[in-house]
Short mmCIF file of all heavy atoms in Angstrom, two decimals:
data_model
loop_
_atom_site.label_atom_id
_atom_site.label_comp_id
_atom_site.label_asym_id
_atom_site.label_seq_id
_atom_site.Cartn_x
_atom_site.Cartn_y
_atom_site.Cartn_z
N TYR A 272 211.27 52.47 191.12
CA TYR A 272 211.35 53.83 191.60
C TYR A 272 210.71 53.93 192.92
O TYR A 272 211.24 54.58 193.92
CB TYR A 272 210.69 54.78 190.62
CG TYR A 272 210.59 56.24 190.95
CD1 TYR A 272 211.77 57.06 190.90
CD2 TYR A 272 209.49 56.78 191.55
CE1 TYR A 272 211.70 58.39 191.25
CE2 TYR A 272 209.33 58.07 191.85
CZ TYR A 272 210.53 58.91 191.76
OH TYR A 272 210.42 60.21 192.10
N VAL A 455 209.38 65.77 189.68
CA VAL A 455 209.33 65.71 191.12
C VAL A 455 209.99 66.80 191.80
O VAL A 455 211.17 67.06 191.66
CB VAL A 455 209.88 64.39 191.60
CG1 VAL A 455 209.81 64.18 193.10
CG2 VAL A 455 209.21 63.28 190.85
N GLU A 458 208.44 72.93 191.67
CA GLU A 458 207.16 73.46 191.93
C GLU A 458 206.38 74.09 190.74
O GLU A 458 205.18 74.02 190.68
CB GLU A 458 207.39 74.61 193.02
CG GLU A 458 206.05 75.10 193.66
CD GLU A 458 206.35 76.29 194.47
OE1 GLU A 458 207.39 76.98 194.33
OE2 GLU A 458 205.33 76.68 195.19
N GLN A 582 202.33 67.96 155.33
CA GLN A 582 202.64 69.44 155.39
C GLN A 582 202.10 70.00 156.61
O GLN A 582 202.66 71.14 156.96
CB GLN A 582 201.83 69.99 154.20
CG GLN A 582 202.66 70.13 152.86
CD GLN A 582 203.89 70.96 153.03
OE1 GLN A 582 203.93 72.07 153.38
NE2 GLN A 582 205.03 70.28 152.71
N VAL A 583 201.21 69.27 157.28
CA VAL A 583 200.61 69.81 158.49
C VAL A 583 200.61 68.60 159.52
O VAL A 583 200.32 67.45 159.03
CB VAL A 583 199.24 70.28 158.21
CG1 VAL A 583 198.34 70.25 159.40
CG2 VAL A 583 199.26 71.68 157.60
N ASN A 640 198.79 68.14 171.92
CA ASN A 640 197.83 68.43 173.07
C ASN A 640 198.61 68.58 174.37
O ASN A 640 198.07 68.10 175.42
CB ASN A 640 196.69 67.42 173.11
CG ASN A 640 195.75 67.62 171.99
OD1 ASN A 640 195.02 68.54 172.08
ND2 ASN A 640 195.69 66.68 171.08
N TYR A 674 230.01 55.46 165.19
CA TYR A 674 230.46 56.63 164.47
C TYR A 674 231.29 57.50 165.38
O TYR A 674 230.93 57.54 166.60
CB TYR A 674 229.24 57.39 163.88
CG TYR A 674 229.66 58.68 163.23
CD1 TYR A 674 230.17 58.64 161.85
CD2 TYR A 674 229.53 59.89 163.76
CE1 TYR A 674 230.52 59.72 161.22
CE2 TYR A 674 229.83 61.08 162.98
CZ TYR A 674 230.42 60.96 161.73
OH TYR A 674 230.80 62.09 161.07
N GLU A 679 235.47 61.09 162.50
CA GLU A 679 234.53 61.03 161.50
C GLU A 679 234.59 59.67 160.71
O GLU A 679 234.17 59.68 159.51
CB GLU A 679 234.75 62.23 160.52
CG GLU A 679 234.41 63.46 161.24
CD GLU A 679 234.42 64.81 160.41
OE1 GLU A 679 235.12 64.86 159.40
OE2 GLU A 679 233.74 65.75 160.83
N LYS A 685 225.70 49.56 158.59
CA LYS A 685 224.45 49.04 157.94
C LYS A 685 224.14 47.65 158.50
O LYS A 685 224.99 46.96 158.97
CB LYS A 685 224.81 48.85 156.40
CG LYS A 685 224.88 50.24 155.67
CD LYS A 685 225.24 50.08 154.17
CE LYS A 685 225.42 51.45 153.55
NZ LYS A 685 226.04 51.38 152.35
N TYR B 272 235.74 74.54 162.51
CA TYR B 272 235.66 73.21 161.95
C TYR B 272 236.51 73.02 160.75
O TYR B 272 237.29 72.05 160.65
CB TYR B 272 234.23 72.90 161.57
CG TYR B 272 233.95 71.49 161.05
CD1 TYR B 272 233.95 70.27 161.89
CD2 TYR B 272 233.73 71.33 159.66
CE1 TYR B 272 233.76 69.01 161.35
CE2 TYR B 272 233.56 70.05 159.14
CZ TYR B 272 233.47 68.95 159.98
OH TYR B 272 233.28 67.74 159.47
N VAL B 455 228.71 63.71 158.31
CA VAL B 455 229.98 63.52 157.53
C VAL B 455 230.35 62.02 157.51
O VAL B 455 230.47 61.40 158.59
CB VAL B 455 231.06 64.38 158.16
CG1 VAL B 455 232.39 64.23 157.43
CG2 VAL B 455 230.70 65.81 158.22
N GLU B 458 227.20 57.29 154.86
CA GLU B 458 226.87 57.14 153.48
C GLU B 458 225.36 57.22 153.17
O GLU B 458 224.97 57.80 152.26
CB GLU B 458 227.45 55.86 152.87
CG GLU B 458 227.35 55.84 151.42
CD GLU B 458 227.74 54.36 150.84
OE1 GLU B 458 227.74 53.46 151.75
OE2 GLU B 458 227.94 54.29 149.73
N GLN B 582 196.01 72.91 167.51
CA GLN B 582 195.60 71.54 167.30
C GLN B 582 196.27 70.94 166.14
O GLN B 582 196.34 69.63 166.01
CB GLN B 582 194.07 71.58 167.03
CG GLN B 582 193.26 71.46 168.33
CD GLN B 582 193.58 70.26 169.15
OE1 GLN B 582 193.38 69.12 168.54
NE2 GLN B 582 193.88 70.44 170.36
N VAL B 583 196.82 71.70 165.30
CA VAL B 583 197.50 71.18 164.10
C VAL B 583 198.80 72.00 163.89
O VAL B 583 198.72 73.30 164.09
CB VAL B 583 196.54 71.34 162.92
CG1 VAL B 583 197.32 71.43 161.62
CG2 VAL B 583 195.46 70.35 162.87
N TYR B 674 218.97 70.92 189.70
CA TYR B 674 217.96 69.92 190.03
C TYR B 674 218.73 68.62 190.15
O TYR B 674 219.68 68.41 189.34
CB TYR B 674 216.91 69.83 189.10
CG TYR B 674 215.77 68.76 189.46
CD1 TYR B 674 214.96 68.89 190.60
CD2 TYR B 674 215.76 67.50 188.76
CE1 TYR B 674 213.99 67.98 190.88
CE2 TYR B 674 214.86 66.60 189.09
CZ TYR B 674 213.99 66.75 190.22
OH TYR B 674 213.08 65.81 190.57
N GLU B 679 216.45 64.58 194.29
CA GLU B 679 215.17 65.12 193.82
C GLU B 679 214.99 66.53 194.54
O GLU B 679 213.92 67.00 194.77
CB GLU B 679 214.00 64.26 194.15
CG GLU B 679 213.96 63.03 193.18
CD GLU B 679 212.81 62.14 193.23
OE1 GLU B 679 212.17 62.11 194.35
OE2 GLU B 679 212.51 61.40 192.32
N LYS B 685 214.02 79.46 190.41
CA LYS B 685 213.18 80.62 189.90
C LYS B 685 214.17 81.75 189.63
O LYS B 685 215.13 81.97 190.21
CB LYS B 685 212.11 81.04 190.92
CG LYS B 685 211.03 79.96 190.95
CD LYS B 685 209.94 80.19 191.93
CE LYS B 685 208.96 79.11 191.99
NZ LYS B 685 208.06 79.23 193.17
#
Side-chain angles (χ1 to χ4, degrees):
Chain A
Y272 177 78
V455 180
E458 195 192 9
Q582 273 298 306
V583 157
N640 286 293
Y674 181 72
E679 294 185 336
K685 292 176 185 169
Chain B
Y272 177 78
V455 180
E458 195 190 11
Q582 272 299 306
V583 157
Y674 181 71
E679 295 186 334
K685 292 176 185 170

